[in-house]
């Protein structure tokens, strides 16, 4: 913030300018992650920012993650994350989704492994482990040989997925710290099986990991299927249906996961991040016996043509609501028409690292409300400018 004894005449670059009884206060975008608000600043008559004390929330050292993306036409993405100079380095969790190392990329026929895909996974896992990062392996979809023809169909025999997980862990051990279930089964076409088949697929992953953990005294964790959109809470293949079915299938002992995973996207493209969905998921989880003991992660979120402020908003809002990790999508891979989500398009590695450093290992105890800017400005990256008027609540100010 900037203070002055005289009224600001040039308000450009400020989110708000107002008088606190002594000085005129200029609130800048950087104040959204300020260590402390100035003494005497408690409210904003323009309702752009207001200080509200809340409960301290500790953010883990690996609370911000990244998915890299992979494209056969993009030489820079060929090996996924390796810690190269043109890649971010300070995030804590690496998600392998969309980096060319799904199950169907690796095991091209039963017991036969694609050397190029395995080498890519070797490169990422070894580099991330050496750098002290957690690795979240995305199994992805089912090889056609294991499903009878479609990668969106469940396996014809869940021993196939169990055997693949066993191979994966025999090769990498605890260098892979987390394994996740089916990606977005509630989205049309992503999963063509039944709820019972989804539960059985997740159970096969869970059982294979627990078998490895027991034999090796390890604590590799399993993430649930990753649903998305508010409709994913109540969908036939959504969060509520899965939780009820898994709990019943387990004999009321659990949900075949250590972590509940969700993608907090909006169902419209006007804003890709849906804050209301975070609250809907938290409310839904609380209704299931013992589920509050599981961590909630946002394993994928992003914005069309994001800017630094949008990235901060997404991370801050999730962590402020006790979502334990937020994994951003992604560094290299373009989205569809009008929804390019490459962070590398608008941020340098150093700029992304600076955002990561704001959150990881810090404590949050002050939540603010402020007015948001447009994120997607006609298909081009938005820069900081005048706020547009859509109120967003509960965005965090961070205190170290």
């Amino acid at each position: 913030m900037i203070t002055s004894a005289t009224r600001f005449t040039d308000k450009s670059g400020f989110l708000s300018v107002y008088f606190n009884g002594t000085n005129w206060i200029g609130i800048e975008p950087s104040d959204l992650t300020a260590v402390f608000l100035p003494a005497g600043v408690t409210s904003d008559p323009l309702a752009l920012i207001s200080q509200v004390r809340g409960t301290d929330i500790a953010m883990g050292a690996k609370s911000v993650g990244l998915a890299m993306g992979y494209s056969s036409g993009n030489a820079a993405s060929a090996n996924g994350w390796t810690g190269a100079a043109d890649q971010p380095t300070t995030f804590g969790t690496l998600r392998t989704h969309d980096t060319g190392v799904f199950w169907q990329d690796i095991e091209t026929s039963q017991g036969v492994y694609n050397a190029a895909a395995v080498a890519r996974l070797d490169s990422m896992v070894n580099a991330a482990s050496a750098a002290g990062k957690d690795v979240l392996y995305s199994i992805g979809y089912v090889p056609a040989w294991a499903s009878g023809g479609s990668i969106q169909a469940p396996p014809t025999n869940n021993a196939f997925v169990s055997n693949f997980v066993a191979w994966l862990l025999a090769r990498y051990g605890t260098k892979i710290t987390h394994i996740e279930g089916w990606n977005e089964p509630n989205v049309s076409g992503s999963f063509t099986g039944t709820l019972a088949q989804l539960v059985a697929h997740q159970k096969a992953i869970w059982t294979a990991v627990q078998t490895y953990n027991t034999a090796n005294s390890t604590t590799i964790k399993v993430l649930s299927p990753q649903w998305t959109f508010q409709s994913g809470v109540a969908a036939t293949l959504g969060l509520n249906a899965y939780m009820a079915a898994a709990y019943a299938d387990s004999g009321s002992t659990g949900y075949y996961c250590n972590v509940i995973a969700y993608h907090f996207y909006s169902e419209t493209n006007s804003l890709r991040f849906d804050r209301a969905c975070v609250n809907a998921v938290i409310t839904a989880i609380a209704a299931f016996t013992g589920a509050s003991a599981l961590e909630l992660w946002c394993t994928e979120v992003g914005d069309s043509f994001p800017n630094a402020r949008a990235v901060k908003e997404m991370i801050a809002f999730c962590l402020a609501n006790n979502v334990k990790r937020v994994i951003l999508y992604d560094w290299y891979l373009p989205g569809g028409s009008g929804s390019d989500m490459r962070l590398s398009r608008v941020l340098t590695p150093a700029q992304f690292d600076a955002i990561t450093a704001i959150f990881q290992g810090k404590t949050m105890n002050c939540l603010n409300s402020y007015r948001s800017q447009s994120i997607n400005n006609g298909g081009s990256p938005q820069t900081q400018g005048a706020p547009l008027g859509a109120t967003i609540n509960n965005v965090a100010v961070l205190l170290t």
Side-chain angles (χ1 to χ4, degrees), residues 43-394:
S43 64
D44 177 358
L46 299 182
L48 294 181
I49 187 167
S50 59
Q51 189 175 32
V52 181
R53 290 289 175 184
T55 303
D56 286 4
I57 298 175
M59 293 170 284
K62 299 178 181 180
S63 59
V64 181
L66 184 63
M68 295 302 296
Y70 166 76
S71 169
S72 59
N74 182 350
S77 71
N79 294 315
W81 188 85
T82 60
D86 63 342
Q87 297 176 332
T89 58
T90 63
F91 62 91
T93 304
L94 175 67
R95 183 179 184 234
T96 64
H97 187 81
D98 277 345
T99 55
V101 294
F102 286 141
W103 177 19
Q104 76 267 23
D105 298 315
I106 290 178
E107 192 175 8
T108 50
S109 60
Q110 189 171 7
V112 177
Y113 304 97
N114 180 288
V118 172
R120 185 177 303 121
L121 184 56
D122 284 349
S123 176
M124 278 194 294
V125 170
N126 291 331
S129 179
K133 301 185 186 306
D134 281 359
V135 176
L136 170 57
Y137 178 76
S138 299
I139 288 178
Y141 307 102
V142 178
W145 64 262
S147 69
S150 170
I151 65 171
Q152 282 81 32
T156 56
N157 185 337
N158 278 304
F160 295 150
V161 68
S162 297
N163 291 340
F164 176 72
V165 172
W167 172 88
L168 187 76
L169 295 180
R171 187 175 186 88
Y172 301 109
T174 55
K175 290 181 179 179
I176 290 179
T177 58
H178 298 79
I179 296 178
E180 64 182 6
W182 202 283
N183 186 70
E184 299 183 350
N186 64 294
V187 174
S188 178
S190 291
F191 179 72
T192 58
T194 65
L195 177 62
Q197 288 173 318
L198 180 64
V199 171
H201 181 266
Q202 180 71 23
K203 181 180 180 179
I205 298 170
W206 170 260
T207 302
V209 173
Q210 301 319 306
T211 298
Y212 183 88
N213 281 339
T214 299
N216 296 278
S217 299
T218 53
T219 57
I220 296 165
K221 294 184 178 181
V222 176
L223 276 67
S224 71
Q226 305 95 61
W227 300 277
T228 191
F229 309 140
Q230 288 193 57
S231 63
V233 174
T236 302
L237 292 168
L239 171 64
N240 283 345
Y242 170 85
M243 296 292 281
Y247 195 68
D249 187 80
S250 72
S252 302
T253 61
Y255 301 95
Y256 300 133
C257 62
N258 306 103
V259 176
I260 295 175
Y262 219 92
H263 299 167
F264 294 120
Y265 290 119
S266 170
E267 294 181 72
T268 69
N269 282 330
S270 57
L271 285 173
R272 295 297 300 274
F273 175 48
D274 188 346
R275 292 156 183 82
C277 186
V278 179
N279 297 324
V281 169
I282 291 169
T283 300
I285 292 170
F288 291 95
T289 303
S292 59
L294 304 174
E295 289 190 352
L296 172 61
W297 289 17
C298 173
T299 51
E300 183 175 317
V301 72
D303 263 295
S304 302
F305 304 101
N307 59 29
R309 179 175 173 180
V311 173
K312 290 178 184 177
E313 287 179 10
M314 290 185 288
I315 299 170
F317 186 88
C318 287
L319 295 179
N321 283 280
N322 214 28
V323 177
K324 293 300 184 182
R325 301 198 194 190
V326 182
I327 298 176
L328 298 163
Y329 187 90
D330 65 358
W331 193 252
Y332 285 129
L333 188 67
S337 176
S339 61
D340 193 330
M341 297 169 71
R342 282 174 294 174
L343 291 166
S344 62
R345 190 174 185 270
V346 292
L347 295 170
T348 67
Q351 288 170 331
F352 183 86
D353 285 344
I355 291 172
T356 301
I358 289 169
F359 297 98
Q360 294 186 149
K362 303 295 178 59
T363 298
M364 180 187 304
N365 70 356
C366 183
L367 305 185
N368 283 357
S369 304
Y370 64 92
R371 209 180 304 181
S372 176
Q373 297 170 246
S374 170
I375 291 173
N376 186 339
N377 183 21
S380 61
Q382 176 68 295
T383 57
Q384 297 293 348
L388 297 183
T391 298
I392 296 174
N393 295 319
N394 295 335

